[in-house]
Amino acid sequence: MLLLLPLAIPVLGAGILLVFRNPRFATRAALLLGALEVTALGAVVWQVHVHGELQAGQYLRADALSAFFLMGIAFVSGLVLIYASGYLRHTGEGRFSSPRWFYALVFMFLFTMISVCLSANLGLLWIMMEGTTLASALLVGFYNTEGAVEAGWKYLIVCTVGIAFALFGTIVLYLAAVKAGMSPASALDWVSLMNAAPRMGFDPHLVKLAFVFVIVGFGTKIGFVPMHSWLPDAHAEAPTPISALLSAVLLNCAMYALMRFDGIVSRTVGPAFPHTLLLIFGVLSMVVAGLLILVQRNLKRLLAYSSIEHMGIIAVGLGLGGPLGLLGALLHTFNHSTAKSLLFFSAGNVRHNVGTLRLDGIRGISRTMPQTSAALVVGGLAIVGLPPFSLFISEFAILSEAFAQAHYLVAALFLMVLSVVFGGFAYHLFRMLCGAPDRRPENARLIPSEYIAMGIAALCLLFFGARIPHAFAVLLQQAMAVLK
């Protein structure tokens, strides 16, 4: 029941929310249901932390790796629901574009992402990853403008094609397991595959072929270059709370799925092959996204390319392996989610008050919107990896592992990209904050929901940069042990 509860609440909640035609009642119901969902996820994380792996039937399981990502989902989704309660005050009633539809679709989106992390079977994991695309496509096109509809269709088509590659990879891995003598009933069970991989002699050619398709398929959802084309458009056109969910939760779920396959392949054919592919995609994503950050003209597209860069950083950490590489990669998934949520919330405030997200139309907001500007500065300094913010810790761990393993080219490119990104963000932020404002916003001060969501994210970035809580560190170590 403990594993079923976080799945039942969003499904039932989505149906309940459609009943509330009054936007105020829909918002209150969504906040209540969100609190219940965060509590249910917290209970799962705590039980795994204290008692170890949880199992519910043949298809649901939560281990420390699942719990670590569920914790991130609970944290970000809670912030998103709080922020959205104020953000949607300007949204009117309409077909598929009212608060009740927004919240109902958000809860279905959460259901699919939580299901990914609770799937014990790789086939079910693939189904739920495809479900994330279907559940969020209407949210990407929520504003029903020409650009939003185009972005929604592009997101749907590109990600569906990409996930088809992951399906083929999953089938090939299943074939390799059955040919090696595994029972067809357990040939997609992750724990069974991890136990059988070192001793049953899987065909290495099939396993390598499977991972190539898997990294391309799930890499499309992660936003690896060159499969990233959907991501900037979807982030730019989606409502700000959805942009935060896409960047801070969905990309992590796809990375989680890739970690599961990497663990099996590394045990079967050794870590050299999968980790080399991870390093190639990771470095390529970092370099291309870092350079494109310099030339962006839209604030949310700038943040989207930053997400691609940080997914590349996580892939580099996984590709390097080792204790610091794996520690840095897992920690960076949480740190990036926190910083990117803060930045997207700030971008949403800029859009409401300035009326545009075009960087050349945003001037002097440090004078007209001091609170939002402060959040942008904190988020910007954190996202480029400067101390004392938490992203410095995870990036430093990955860089240290690169030097420890004598991957000097990877380390040099890593440092180069960080320098370029720092320069790009500093340039864009300086232009937005300084200069003469075109007009003075009517609602420049933050409302309570914005204060709470943005304040928690900013404090978390500072606190985790100074000291990682003991319970969090233990869960992080337990998650690392799952993949070793």
Side-chain angles (χ1 to χ4, degrees):
M1 285 299 296
L2 195 61
L3 294 184
L4 292 175
L5 194 58
L7 301 177
I9 290 174
V11 172
L12 295 175
I16 293 171
L17 285 163
L18 291 176
V19 175
F20 294 98
R21 292 187 173 274
N22 187 305
R24 183 177 298 177
F25 292 156
T27 298
R28 291 175 179 174
L31 289 173
L32 176 60
L33 290 165
L36 292 174
E37 180 68 4
V38 169
T39 303
L41 290 173
V44 172
V45 172
W46 179 252
Q47 288 297 319
V48 171
H49 171 66
V50 175
H51 301 294
E53 181 180 295
L54 301 176
Q55 180 92 23
Q58 189 177 357
Y59 294 102
L60 296 179
R61 182 187 297 116
D63 56 20
L65 186 64
S66 307
F68 184 81
F69 280 87
L70 288 173
M71 178 183 60
I73 293 174
F75 179 69
V76 174
S77 61
L79 295 183
V80 164
L81 288 172
I82 292 171
Y83 178 81
S85 65
Y87 178 88
L88 291 178
R89 66 190 186 276
H90 301 296
T91 301
E93 180 72 22
R95 183 176 174 81
F96 300 124
S97 61
S98 62
R100 66 190 180 109
W101 276 103
F102 176 88
Y103 288 120
L105 292 170
V106 164
F107 276 98
M108 288 306 301
F109 189 25
L110 287 175
F111 164 76
T112 58
M113 292 188 291
I114 292 167
S115 298
V116 167
C117 296
L118 291 179
S119 296
N121 183 284
L122 296 181
L124 179 61
L125 184 149
W126 179 88
I127 291 171
M128 300 320 300
M129 278 303 306
E130 174 67 1
T132 61
T133 305
L134 301 177
S136 55
L138 285 175
L139 288 168
V140 172
F142 183 75
Y143 286 133
N144 203 29
T145 62
E146 182 178 348
V149 172
E150 180 182 350
W153 275 109
K154 186 175 183 179
Y155 165 64
L156 185 64
I157 292 170
V158 173
C159 288
T160 300
V161 171
I163 287 295
F165 280 82
L167 174 62
F168 187 79
T170 304
I171 293 171
V172 173
L173 183 63
Y174 172 82
L175 176 62
V178 172
K179 287 184 65 176
M182 285 190 69
S183 165
S186 61
L188 284 178
D189 181 78
W190 189 80
V191 171
S192 300
L193 286 167
M194 288 288 282
N195 293 332
R199 56 183 174 80
M200 293 196 68
F202 289 16
D203 186 337
H205 300 294
L206 284 178
V207 173
K208 289 181 179 179
L209 178 64
F211 191 74
V212 169
F213 278 96
V214 165
I215 198 171
V216 171
F218 289 130
T220 303
K221 290 297 290 277
I222 294 169
F224 285 157
V225 173
M227 296 89 68
H228 67 287
S229 60
W230 68 271
L231 196 149
D233 291 339
H235 283 52
E237 295 294 340
T240 294
I242 303 308
S243 297
L245 278 179
L246 291 172
S247 182
V249 182
L250 176 63
L251 304 189
N252 283 352
C253 286
M255 188 66 76
Y256 166 88
L258 189 57
M259 288 179 185
R260 291 292 189 184
F261 279 89
D262 174 61
I264 297 167
V265 176
S266 295
R267 286 196 172 199
T268 305
V269 300
F273 177 77
H275 287 190
T276 298
L277 286 179
L278 284 167
L279 284 174
I280 291 171
F281 278 108
V283 170
L284 182 62
S285 299
M286 286 182 65
V287 171
V288 172
L291 294 175
L292 288 173
I293 281 173
L294 297 176
V295 297
Q296 290 310 302
R297 299 178 179 178
N298 180 288
L299 178 55
K300 287 177 71 174
R301 290 182 72 90
L302 171 70
L303 300 180
Y305 279 106
S306 172
S307 295
I308 296 171
E309 178 229 346
H310 283 276
M311 290 301 107
I313 290 175
I314 295 168
V316 167
L318 294 174
L320 290 170
L324 286 177
L326 190 53
L327 171 71
L330 287 173
L331 183 58
H332 203 70
T333 60
F334 182 81
N335 291 340
H336 168 256
S337 296
T338 306
K340 199 53 62 67
S341 297
L342 176 60
L343 285 169
F344 272 116
F345 295 160
S346 303
N349 290 356
V350 171
R351 180 176 186 173
H352 272 320
N353 288 281
V354 180
T356 183
L357 286 170
R358 290 187 59 83
L359 293 172
D360 56 9
I362 306 172
R363 291 288 183 274
I365 60 172
S366 61
R367 302 180 190 178
T368 58
M369 302 172 60
Q371 297 164 330
T372 298
S373 298
L376 272 174
V377 170
V378 170
L381 293 176
I383 207 69
V384 298
L386 290 182
F389 300 102
S390 57
L391 281 88
F392 172 78
I393 306 298
S394 49
E395 289 180 358
F396 185 78
I398 295 170
L399 188 60
S400 299
E401 188 66 47
F403 279 112
Q405 296 186 16
H407 281 286
Y408 297 122
L409 178 59
V410 172
L413 290 171
F414 196 99
L415 289 171
M416 182 199 74
V417 170
L418 292 184
S419 301
V420 169
V421 170
F422 172 79
F425 263 85
Y427 171 72
H428 293 307
L429 282 176
F430 184 81
R431 292 183 65 202
M432 288 190 293
L433 296 172
C434 301
D438 294 331
R439 64 189 179 101
R440 184 166 294 276
E442 296 181 1
N443 303 301
R445 295 185 64 83
L446 300 182
I447 61 175
S449 61
E450 295 167 344
Y451 258 126
I452 294 171
M454 297 167 71
I456 291 174
L459 289 174
C460 187
L461 290 171
L462 284 166
F463 182 76
F464 275 68
R467 184 179 183 274
I468 298 177
H470 175 70
F472 184 94
V474 171
L475 185 61
L476 181 58
Q477 293 291 337
Q478 292 172 339
M480 292 171 59
V482 171
L483 294 174
K484 289 181 180 178

